[in-house]
Structure formats: C-alpha cells, structure tokens
C-alpha cells in the first residue's frame, strides 16, 4: 500500500525503465545500426572516452523519434496531477541531454532537465550529487526503477518505485520512505510466443512438400531429417524476426496492430532480443550442419536474404514482395536439399507465383489497414496507400498464374508417370481458383488480419479447400504399383 504522499516541492523522475519502459540508448543504437551501420565500428572508441561521451556521440548521430516511444502513461498522469498541485517536475536521467530534452519537450510535463552532457554520466552517485546541489539533500522525491537508483533514493525525501521488483522496493524502503509504487509487468508466456513468432514456424512445414510430391511420405529416415531441418529453420526464422522487429521499432509503433509486438511495446527489453537473436542463429546453424552441407548452404542463404530484407529490401516497393516470395520458396528448396530430392520445374514455378500472390496479399492488407487509420503512406515501406489497387491487381494476377502452372503441369507427361488417374487432379484447378479469389476477397473486405499463411491455417474455407485438393491428389494416386 502506498504511503501518505505529501506534495513535495520537487519530484525528480528517471527516464529509462521509469518514464519509458525501454532504454533510449539501446533505441538510439538500433537507429544507428539501421541507418548508418558503419558508425557502430566507432562505438568501442567512443566508449573508451567514457559512457557520457558514448551517449553523446550516439545521440548526435541517431535519428531517434521520441514521439513514438512507449511511455508509462499511469506515471505521467500522476506526475501531471502532482504538478497541478504545485510540485516542480524534473527529468533526471543518465541519457544524453539531447534525448532527454526532446522527450521533455514532447511530453510537456517537466519544468527542468538534468542529464548526461558528454562529460559527466548522470547516473547513480553523480545523479544524486546533481540533485543535491540543485535542490538540497532531502529536498526532492525521486522516481526510479533499478539498483543504480539506490544512491539517489538514499538522498531523497521519498521514493517512488516504478517497474521494479518487490525486493528492490524493500531495499528502497530501507533508505527512505517509499511513497508510491507503480508495479512492473513480467514477460508473459504469450509475449514469449510472440517474441519467437511461434505461429510463423508453421511456414517451415513447406520443407515437407518435396517429400510429399515425390510420394516418399512413408520414408521415416527422411521424415526425421526434415523434422531436424524444421527446427533449424524455425530457430533461424525466430532470429530473423527478432532482428527485424528490433530494426523496425519506429515503423511498428506507428502501425495499428504491430505496435503491440513485444519490442515495440517494450514488454520485452531490447537487450534481451540482442542476446537471443544470435543465440537462435548459432543454434540453427548447428542443427543445419547435422542435417547436411547442402541444406546448410540454403539455410545460410535464407538467413542472409532475410537480413538483407530487414535492412534494406523491405523498404523497396515490389522488390519486398518478390523477396518474400523467394523466402517462401527457399523453404521448399531447402527441404528438398535436406533429403536429396530433385525439385521439378513445375513445383518451383507454382511455388514462386502462389507465394508472390500471398506476399502481395500481405502488403495489400497492410495498406488497407493504414488507409482506415487515415495514413497516406506505409512508414518504412516503399508504398503509398494509393498503391493498394495496383498491388491488388498484381497479386491476383500472380495467384491466377500459379493456377495456370498447375493446369499446364496436368497437361504434361510427368504427371502420367506419377499418378494412375491424373485426370482427377483437374478438380484441384477450380478449387485453387476459388481459393485465390477467396483470399483476395477477404483481403479486399479488410478481413485479412494475419499473415496469409497463418490466415489459411485458421480460415475454415481455406482448410476445407486444402483437404479437397489433397483428396484429389490421393485419389489420383490410387492404383499405382497395382
């Protein structure tokens, strides 16, 4: 229970982890990595001059947009009430003054700013010394969140504990009166799943397609190999998704739904993602080597292409969708490499066109969502909202081209050697035409809320069509070997 709060003359407020649940230095460093990656080579040299110098150099070069940072809204509302009651609100932070002043100007709740200045790192004892010099020991209340705030609380009249553990609150109570507690939130299982994008792992089932197409589904050794390949690709995908989310924070925070992602909302700290992403990548590589050398080559190529997509290609109109289609198709190619199956031209052609259509669906759905929110362009992408009709036309054309490839395949000689009754597969053609049309109609209605692949795995009509198409191929296969 909060202690009785008497309105003090001054309330000093920490920034990182307190006013905002994120760390502004980490945010700025990611901006630097995204926009000027070569500058990161200078980080060790800046750090040799001290933390304050490092923060100043990063802040001077990083285009950090403080208007989209996540903020502790309950704390800000409380600070506004205290200010209205006569308190002076001070932002006292170890962040560089450029960042601190920009945030103070944006929020409009602070009367003064004390921050690192390129020479002195305003943290711990230095922060207390600055506050004591300006307001006198015991002449201020202090809101903080970490053990580095203990020296400041020891000199404060009262402590406001924000986003901290119960143990830290007890430690703060040992040096001063704890006037108010703003509880933190632990990472939930749902946020862990979103962090790793577990639902996106379903896409990696595409690696089993070559085995099914070659009528080798009963090969247990191949199935075991593909299972290992599936895990390798899933860990690789998680590493890439984390990296993409870290580099795309500002765009995600402007997006109606992506702003709830773990890093964008600061439900998961940036430093955790920076640690987990390379761990997943290394584990993926280790498993890939167990599968085989050729598979590992495709796995590494997939990783490099996804990195290129995250850093640059996703910002280029049309190129982004072509890259997404390639990434989907690479899963099939890697699956074939894992079990040494030669892919047919027909399967590759069908894959490229159908996945290109789905990539355009993904982008079209985003443009529709942005249009509904009143935006005129997609931040961090190369599209205007007005491009939606063109994206729709290109996507529908690609989807119908995929069905045309399927129809031409049924007219060729290869199908006769694989199926006893290939004419039964013709029923799959109108089913696929319906499904492509259905997906695009759902997108046009604004009902495509998920990734198209994930949507297909949840949508009842899509599941029924998938079962009917599979039935067509199974019936066509009857009689082989008899």
């Amino acid at each position: 229970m909060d202690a009785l709060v008497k309105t003090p003359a001054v309330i000093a407020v920490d920034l990182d982890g307190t006013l905002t649940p994120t760390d502004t230095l980490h945010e700025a460093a990611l901006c630097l990595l995204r926009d000027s990656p070569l500058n990161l080579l200078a980080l060790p040299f800046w750090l040799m001059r001290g933390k304050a110098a490092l923060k100043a150099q990063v802040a001077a070069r990083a285009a950090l947009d403080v208007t989209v940072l996540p903020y502790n809204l309950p704390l800000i509302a409380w600070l506004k009430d205290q200010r209205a009651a006569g308190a002076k609100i001070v932002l006292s932070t170890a962040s560089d003054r450029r960042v601190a002043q920009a945030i103070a100007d944006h929020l409009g709740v602070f009367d003064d700013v004390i921050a690192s200045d390129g020479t002195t790192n305003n943290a711990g004892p230095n922060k207390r010394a600055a506050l004591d010099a300006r307001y006198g020991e015991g002449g201020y209340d202090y809101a903080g969140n970490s053990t580095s705030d203990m020296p400041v609380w020891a000199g404060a009249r009262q402590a406001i504990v924000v986003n901290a553990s119960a143990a830290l609150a007890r430690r703060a109570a040992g040096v001063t009166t704890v006037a108010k507690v703003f509880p933190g939130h632990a990472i939930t299982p749902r946020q862990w799943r979103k962090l790793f994008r577990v639902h996106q792992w379903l896409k990696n089932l595409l690696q089993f397609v070559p085995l099914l197409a070659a009528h080798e589904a009963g090969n247990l050794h191949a199935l075991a190999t593909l299972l290992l390949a599936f895990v390798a690709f899933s860990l690789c995908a998680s590493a890439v998704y984390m990296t993409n989310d870290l580099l795309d924070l500002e765009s995600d925070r402007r997006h109606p739904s992506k702003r709830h992602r773990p890093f964008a909302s600061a439900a998961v700290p940036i430093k955790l993602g920076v640690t987990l992403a390379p761990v997943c990548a290394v584990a993926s590589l280790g498993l890939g080597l167990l599968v085989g050398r050729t598979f590992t080559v495709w796995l590494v190529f997939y990783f490099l292409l996804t990195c290129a997509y995250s850093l640059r290609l996703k910002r280029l109109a049309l190129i982004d969708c072509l890259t997404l289609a390639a990434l989907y198709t690479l899963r099939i190619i890697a699956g074939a490499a894992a079990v040494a199956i030669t892919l047919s031209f027909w399967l590759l052609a069908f894959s490229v066109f159908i996945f290109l259509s789905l990539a355009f669906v993904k982008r079209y759905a985003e443009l529709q969502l942005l249009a509904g929110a009143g935006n005129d362009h997609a931040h961090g992408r190369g599209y205007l909202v007005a491009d939606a009709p063109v994206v729709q036309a290109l996507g529908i054309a690609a989807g119908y081209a995929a069905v045309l490839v399927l129809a031409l395949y049924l007219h060729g000689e290869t199908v006769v050697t694989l199926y006893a009754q290939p004419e039964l597969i013709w029923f799959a053609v109108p089913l696929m035409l319906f499904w492509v049309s259905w997906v695009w109609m759902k997108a046009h209605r604004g009902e495509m809320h998920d990734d198209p692949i994930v949507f297909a795995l949840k949508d009842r009509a899509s599941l029924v069509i998938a079962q009917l198409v599979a039935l067509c191929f199974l019936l066509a296969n009857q009689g082989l070997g008899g």
Side-chain angles (χ1 to χ4, degrees), residues 255-256 258 317-318 320-321 359-379 381-392 440 443 446 448:
H255 194 276
K258 292 181 182 180
L318 303 182
D320 64 331
C321 290
F360 278 125
V361 165
K362 179 181 176 68
R363 199 62 69 226
Y364 175 77
E366 291 178 355
L367 293 176
Q368 287 284 87
L369 193 61
L370 291 171
N375 296 309
D376 60 359
H377 72 286
H379 187 270
R381 299 290 188 270
Y383 295 91
L384 302 175
V385 170
D387 293 332
V390 177
V391 172
Q392 182 185 42
W440 276 100
M448 183 66 63

Side-chain angles (χ1 to χ4, degrees), residues 350 352-354 356-358 360 393-403 436:
F350 176 82
V352 168
F353 283 114
I354 196 67
L356 181 59
S357 181
L358 294 178
F360 278 125
L394 292 172
I396 294 173
Y400 284 175
V403 181
V436 170

Side-chain angles (χ1 to χ4, degrees), residues 235-293:
L235 289 174
C236 181
S238 291
V240 172
Y241 282 129
M242 288 184 205
T243 303
N244 181 71
D245 288 351
L246 288 170
L247 296 176
D248 218 19
L249 288 174
E250 290 184 9
S251 295
D252 284 352
R253 286 169 180 160
R254 289 185 172 90
H255 194 276
S257 60
K258 292 181 182 180
R259 61 191 177 91
H260 299 298
R261 286 177 172 174
F263 294 131
S265 64
V268 176
I270 287 173
K271 62 182 179 182
L272 186 58
V274 172
T275 301
L276 283 176
V279 168
C280 288
V282 171
S284 170
L285 180 61
L287 291 175
L289 290 171
L290 291 177
V291 174
R293 183 179 301 177

Side-chain angles (χ1 to χ4, degrees), residues 192-204 206 233-249 252 258 261-264 273-274 276-278 280-281 302-303 306-307 309-310 314 324 327-328 331 362 381 451-454:
W192 280 114
R193 290 194 298 272
K194 291 174 68 176
L195 176 65
F196 283 90
R197 301 280 187 90
V198 174
H199 65 284
Q200 299 284 7
W201 292 359
L202 294 171
K203 297 176 183 177
N204 298 321
L206 290 170
F233 249 79
S234 296
L235 289 174
C236 181
S238 291
V240 172
Y241 282 129
M242 288 184 205
T243 303
N244 181 71
D245 288 351
L246 288 170
L247 296 176
D248 218 19
L249 288 174
D252 284 352
K258 292 181 182 180
R261 286 177 172 174
F263 294 131
V274 172
L276 283 176
C280 288
Y302 170 84
F303 177 77
T306 48
C307 288
Y309 175 80
S310 296
K314 68 182 179 184
L324 285 174
L327 290 172
Y328 280 121
R331 291 172 167 92
K362 179 181 176 68
R381 299 290 188 270
D451 181 283
I453 296 291
V454 178

Side-chain angles (χ1 to χ4, degrees), residues 31-73:
C31 289
L32 206 60
L33 173 62
R34 181 195 64 204
D35 300 330
S36 307
L38 291 179
N39 273 322
L40 293 182
L41 298 176
L43 287 179
F45 301 100
W46 295 339
L47 184 58
M48 289 171 62
R49 294 161 53 190
K51 287 185 177 180
L54 170 68
K55 294 173 182 178
Q57 293 293 336
V58 172
R61 291 167 173 79
L64 179 64
D65 188 351
V66 301
T67 65
V68 296
L69 289 175
Y71 290 102
N72 190 327
L73 298 182

